[in-house]
Amino acid sequence: MSDSAPSHWDPAPSPRDGRLTARRHPPVAPGRTGLVPMTGPAGDRLALGYAPESASDGSAYRLVVLLHGAGGSARQGLDLLLPVADAQHLLLVAPDSSAASWDLIAGGFGADVGRIDGLLATVFDTYPVSDVTVGGFSDGASYALSLGLANGDLVDAVLAFSPGFAAPPVTHGQPRIFISHGVDDRVLPIDVCSRRLVPRLHDLGYDVTYQEFPGGHDIPTPIRDSAIAWLTAHPPRAADHP
């Protein structure tokens, strides 16, 4: 993670800085439940969403934006937490990257930030949301960390499964962070990735929970379950008052 990323409020948020402009507000129209394809004006798929049935007590969802690895797909991103979405009342949104991987990996924030921002605006218009989490695997984990640290005034938690780095151009807020990594990972080796990244995040004052596991470039079920327990341990915020 860069030492030079300043922490400040940018009066003119820019996708180049990784800044998201969408904010939680009371929904203006009801959203669909179940698996929800999310498309652009031309009918092209931008993301896949999944919304559990509304809670009997009317409580809001925790929104989790899930980012696939390099060469992956929205469905692969969605599958990271789909098995636990109903039980944990998680509203999932899994974007497709605009290229083979996320824009930051290719040279800098841009098109994918704009896409995610538009998806968030749509979700906030149609679902009650209490908290916003960004998560991902591999390149998606690096992107989730970078985007989450740049938007800690919106994002309250980050799930990073086997990340390579974090490179936010600016930082805002202090989201809590969960990182996991396999000790035998040969795609993003742990010694040059999480074992360097986690101490740096601690030094910068972030609340980081870190778990290593025997294995490679993967998310074992016990790690996923541990991440969900960590994520849901904090009570939700009020839905309509960011």
Side-chain angles (χ1 to χ4, degrees), residues 193-208:
C193 295
S194 289
R195 285 180 179 170
R196 290 185 180 178
L197 175 61
V198 171
R200 180 65 187 135
L201 290 169
H202 278 303
D203 288 345
L204 291 172
Y206 290 99
D207 178 2
V208 184

Side-chain angles (χ1 to χ4, degrees), residues 32-218:
R32 293 168 50 191
T33 58
L35 191 65
V36 182
M38 304 178 74
T39 58
D44 51 320
R45 191 184 75 180
L46 303 180
L48 282 176
Y50 180 80
E53 295 293 332
S54 299
S56 58
D57 62 359
S59 60
Y61 297 98
R62 173 181 286 277
L63 170 63
V64 187
V65 179
L66 293 168
L67 308 176
H68 61 73
S73 66
R75 182 67 206 213
Q76 289 172 316
L78 196 72
D79 285 345
L80 295 177
L81 296 186
L82 187 59
V84 298
D86 288 314
Q88 300 299 335
H89 201 53
L90 303 178
L91 174 61
L92 308 181
V93 174
D96 283 300
S97 58
S98 55
S101 192
W102 303 96
D103 51 21
L104 181 63
I105 283 79
F109 280 128
D112 288 327
V113 176
R115 173 173 294 192
I116 292 169
D117 207 16
L119 292 168
L120 288 173
T122 298
V123 168
F124 294 151
D125 279 346
T126 49
Y127 297 95
V129 172
S130 60
D131 297 274
V132 179
T133 298
V134 181
F137 171 66
S138 192
D139 274 8
S142 300
Y143 201 81
L145 273 169
S146 302
L147 195 65
L149 297 180
N151 293 278
D153 47 348
L154 172 67
V155 174
D156 79 297
V158 177
L159 297 172
F161 301 106
S162 305
F165 64 90
V170 297
T171 60
H172 293 259
Q174 290 277 313
R176 57 194 181 100
I177 301 168
F178 179 96
I179 295 176
S180 66
H181 216 117
V183 297
D184 299 317
D185 192 331
R186 296 185 180 181
V187 177
L188 293 173
I190 192 170
D191 284 339
V192 296
C193 295
S194 289
R195 285 180 179 170
R196 290 185 180 178
L197 175 61
V198 171
R200 180 65 187 135
L201 290 169
H202 278 303
D203 288 345
L204 291 172
Y206 290 99
D207 178 2
V208 184
T209 296
Y210 177 51
Q211 294 190 6
E212 297 184 356
F213 59 89
H217 202 57
D218 195 11

